[in-house]
Amino acid sequence: MGLALKKPDHVAGSAAPAILIASFVAFGGILYGYDTGTIGGILVMKEWLRLFSTGATDADGNPAITASQQSTIVSLLSAGTFFGSLTAAPTGDILGRRIGLIVSCFVFIFGVILQTAATRIPLFVAGRFFAGFGVGLVSALVPLYQSETAPKWIRGTIVGAYQFAITIGLFLAAIVDNGTQGRANTGSYRIPVAIQFAWAIILITGMLLLPETPRYNIKMGRNEKAALSLSRLRKLDVDHPALVEELAEIQANHEYELSLGKATYVDCFKGTLGKRLMTGCLLQGLQQLTGVNFIFYYGTSFFTRSGIGNAFIITVITDVVNVCSTIPGLYMVEKWGRRPMLLWGAIGMFVCQFIVAITGTAEPSGIVANKVLIAFVCVYIFFFASTWGPIAWIVTGELFPLKARAKCLSMTTATNWLLNWAIAYATPYLVNPGAGNANLGSKVFFIWGSFCLVCAFFVYGLIYETKGLSLEQVDELYAKESRAWRSHTFVPSVSFQEVQDISTDRRKSSLADIEAQAGRKRSVAHVDNGMNEKL
């Protein structure tokens, strides 16, 4: 295994256009990350609290908001993203992946307008919901677009770039919040909110120039457009043998999947497709239950209550760690693979979470405890950002056949946002002091750490190794291998173009049986050709 990520010698054309296009689309992650990260700082800004407080005060008599208001404001974004991600399936299938992303940005812009104009909680919350709806659409459509355009040998790194963009968005949010929090006017919170217009406009402008994915065009029966799109992505002529072969295999695989039945929402829960959907939903749900968004939603206020001096600076530090740690993950996912990265990431997070929980429980608000808290939160973020952060999006982007990909991806992404909402809503009640609250403080890390241990067992039992496989070969993997822990030994052998010519009831025959029939047919044809040559 070499150190460099380079195009295999047998692969024709250039990967540069596909890499550049899919990497640009990852810019959608900045919308996600920035919108997620900015709220934590805004909720503790003095000017925002002066305007939006409804009479509550903190221990020093300063304006404040209640735990109920805090959970509503933070979690409404996640509620919007939940419904947005579910809407991504019909949006992506009807309008297309490209136009769907453009529409998503306009929905997001509407939400930003409401938040910028707001001076009371109801309008601000409405803006959070619509911005979240747009982010939900983007969060499902970006990995879908990337996985359908990227070359298989670097697909993991490209789709993982979406998570890298999320971390950059979180980092930018922390920088902007820290830069404006001292302003004595509404610019302290309006500037961080309004900057989001720029991210949406950049993505809209780029998507107007980019092609639709070839797999979507195949799905819609637009074979000529699919060839032109793939030609642009691979930098090959439309009649180049390698391009013709790749396009034919995509089409044959899609027709094979359609021959097995339709892809209604009910069908998504049946057979091996149902297993893949369950895997994707559990993966995205567990990504949230590792507790990472506890840090990014409530880190500033949590660090403040823990007695840490400049909580804004600590938040910036955690965001820097988040950005930098994602880079080695993008490299290693194509070198080491999906399964081992997720497994060791879960174990590392488990250890860090329990160290923070035990230390914080033994010595709450002590100097040593605070140093341990900061250090191991940063180490925990390293493990998350290099493994579960990007790889959850990579794996779900690879799991599903073309006929059901948009529907299944929208449901896995909705699961992510559903758990995101639940954590955002429940955390103030779990962590904050006061009547009716659990006041767990650092003990909440026992909860996140326990889920990290569950993550490790989940990866061993259900995550298949898909490194180096095309999306069509992933279909073959799930059709042939029933045990995830043996998936690393799988070698693809099916040509869906040959399978396409076999006349049989495909609903009653396994892919292995159909492949065997294709092999026998190929052998007979070879023998017949040999006899004809002798004659």
Side-chain angles (χ1 to χ4, degrees):
M1 181 177 71
L3 292 177
L5 288 175
K6 62 178 183 178
K7 183 170 70 71
D9 294 335
H10 66 276
V11 176
S14 172
I19 292 172
L20 290 173
I21 288 171
S23 297
F24 172 80
V25 175
F27 192 87
I30 290 183
L31 274 70
Y32 175 168
Y34 187 92
D35 204 35
T36 299
T38 195
I39 192 63
I42 287 174
L43 292 183
V44 296
M45 290 180 181
K46 293 179 180 179
E47 185 64 20
W48 188 91
L49 288 169
R50 185 186 68 79
L51 279 174
F52 288 85
S53 175
T54 55
T57 57
D58 61 17
D60 298 323
N62 298 315
I65 56 174
T66 65
S68 174
Q69 290 171 331
Q70 185 181 26
S71 66
T72 300
I73 291 167
V74 175
S75 66
L76 251 292
L77 175 81
S78 301
T81 53
F82 172 76
F83 292 107
S85 56
L86 286 178
T87 310
T91 302
D93 279 343
I94 296 171
L95 300 180
R97 288 39 166 159
R98 185 177 72 92
I99 299 299
L101 278 168
I102 293 172
V103 171
S104 306
C105 289
F106 281 109
V107 176
F108 177 78
I109 287 172
F110 178 66
V112 173
I113 290 172
L114 295 183
Q115 289 178 80
T116 306
T119 56
R120 294 291 183 271
I121 287 177
L123 185 60
F124 193 80
V125 166
R128 293 275 295 167
F129 178 84
F130 282 105
F133 197 95
V135 169
L137 286 165
V138 168
S139 65
L141 291 173
V142 166
L144 180 60
Y145 187 98
Q146 290 176 308
S147 63
E148 290 189 348
T149 54
K152 66 180 182 180
W153 61 272
I154 200 172
R155 185 179 61 244
T157 298
I158 289 175
V159 178
Y162 175 57
Q163 175 65 23
F164 183 59
I166 293 173
T167 67
I168 292 175
L170 287 164
F171 173 66
L172 291 173
I175 292 292
V176 174
D177 279 354
N178 187 55
T180 65
Q181 51 107 3
R183 294 175 67 98
N185 53 46
T186 58
S188 61
Y189 74 89
R190 280 183 167 143
I191 291 172
V193 171
I195 282 176
Q196 296 175 102
F197 286 117
W199 315 141
I201 291 168
I202 290 171
L203 188 58
I204 289 170
T205 303
M207 294 311 301
L208 289 171
L209 304 175
L210 298 185
E212 183 56 85
T213 75
R215 286 177 170 86
Y216 176 74
N217 282 324
I218 288 289
K219 178 182 173 69
M220 301 304 291
R222 304 166 185 164
N223 294 351
E224 290 185 4
K225 288 186 177 180
L228 290 171
S229 175
L230 194 61
S231 171
R232 185 174 172 184
L233 292 168
R234 301 293 184 261
K235 211 171 182 180
L236 292 169
D237 292 335
V238 291
D239 56 354
H240 191 283
L243 188 141
V244 172
E245 175 69 18
E246 182 177 358
L247 202 61
E249 187 68 6
I250 293 171
Q251 186 170 0
N253 171 262
H254 180 53
E255 291 177 359
Y256 170 79
E257 290 293 337
L258 288 177
S259 73
L260 300 179
K262 296 180 180 180
T264 64
Y265 277 99
V266 173
D267 293 320
C268 292
F269 293 89
K270 297 178 180 178
T272 59
L273 184 54
K275 177 182 178 180
R276 291 149 84 169
L277 179 60
M278 179 189 70
T279 300
C281 289
L282 286 173
L283 179 63
Q284 289 282 17
L286 285 170
Q287 188 209 47
Q288 288 300 308
L289 290 170
T290 61
V292 68
N293 278 325
F294 167 71
I295 302 297
F296 295 123
Y297 280 145
Y298 297 108
T300 306
S301 54
F302 176 73
F303 293 142
T304 300
R305 283 194 304 273
S306 298
I308 294 171
N310 195 330
F312 276 94
I313 295 299
I314 301 302
T315 301
V316 172
I317 292 172
T318 59
D319 283 310
V320 170
V321 173
N322 193 28
V323 173
C324 295
S325 301
T326 305
I327 297 171
L330 298 182
Y331 171 79
M332 288 303 298
V333 71
E334 294 296 356
K335 290 296 181 180
W336 198 9
R338 282 65 162 156
R339 270 177 63 85
M341 292 280 286
L342 288 171
L343 184 62
W344 288 107
I347 293 170
M349 289 189 293
F350 162 73
V351 173
C352 292
Q353 300 269 28
F354 266 73
I355 290 174
V356 171
I358 292 168
T359 306
T361 302
E363 190 184 354
S365 299
I367 295 175
V368 174
N370 285 340
K371 289 181 178 179
V372 170
L373 169 66
I374 295 168
F376 278 92
V377 162
C378 288
V379 177
Y380 154 72
I381 290 174
F382 164 78
F383 278 111
F384 176 85
S386 60
T387 59
W388 278 77
I391 297 176
W393 297 105
I394 293 168
V395 171
T396 52
E398 298 171 337
L399 273 176
F400 307 110
L402 179 58
K403 66 176 182 178
R405 189 168 294 140
K407 291 184 178 70
C408 291
L409 259 179
S410 73
M411 286 187 278
T412 59
T413 306
T415 303
N416 181 295
W417 286 114
L418 180 63
L419 270 297
N420 187 301
W421 168 82
I423 291 168
Y425 187 82
T427 293
Y429 298 105
L430 290 173
V431 178
N432 290 2
N437 298 332
N439 193 22
L440 291 179
S442 295
K443 296 185 186 73
V444 75
F445 287 92
F446 281 122
I447 298 174
W448 312 138
S450 298
F451 277 114
C452 290
L453 188 59
V454 172
C455 288
F457 288 103
F458 162 74
V459 171
Y460 182 80
L462 283 174
I463 294 297
Y464 282 65
E465 184 54 69
T466 52
K467 176 173 73 77
L469 301 179
S470 70
L471 296 180
E472 289 68 41
Q473 289 167 344
V474 172
D475 292 337
E476 181 187 349
L477 167 64
Y478 273 90
K480 290 184 174 181
E481 183 55 72
S482 59
R483 293 175 176 84
W485 54 89
R486 298 196 311 211
S487 60
H488 68 283
T489 63
F490 170 76
V491 177
S493 58
V494 168
S495 167
F496 283 97
Q497 295 174 69
E498 294 180 350
V499 167
Q500 191 179 26
D501 297 330
I502 301 299
S503 299
T504 185
D505 188 345
R506 294 176 181 175
R507 296 187 186 216
K508 296 181 180 179
S509 301
S510 69
L511 182 58
D513 292 336
I514 298 173
E515 181 188 9
Q517 292 182 49
R520 288 192 293 270
K521 182 177 179 180
R522 186 169 58 248
S523 298
V524 170
H526 179 72
V527 171
D528 289 343
N529 289 336
M531 293 179 64
N532 289 334
E533 288 177 4
K534 290 180 180 179
L535 293 174

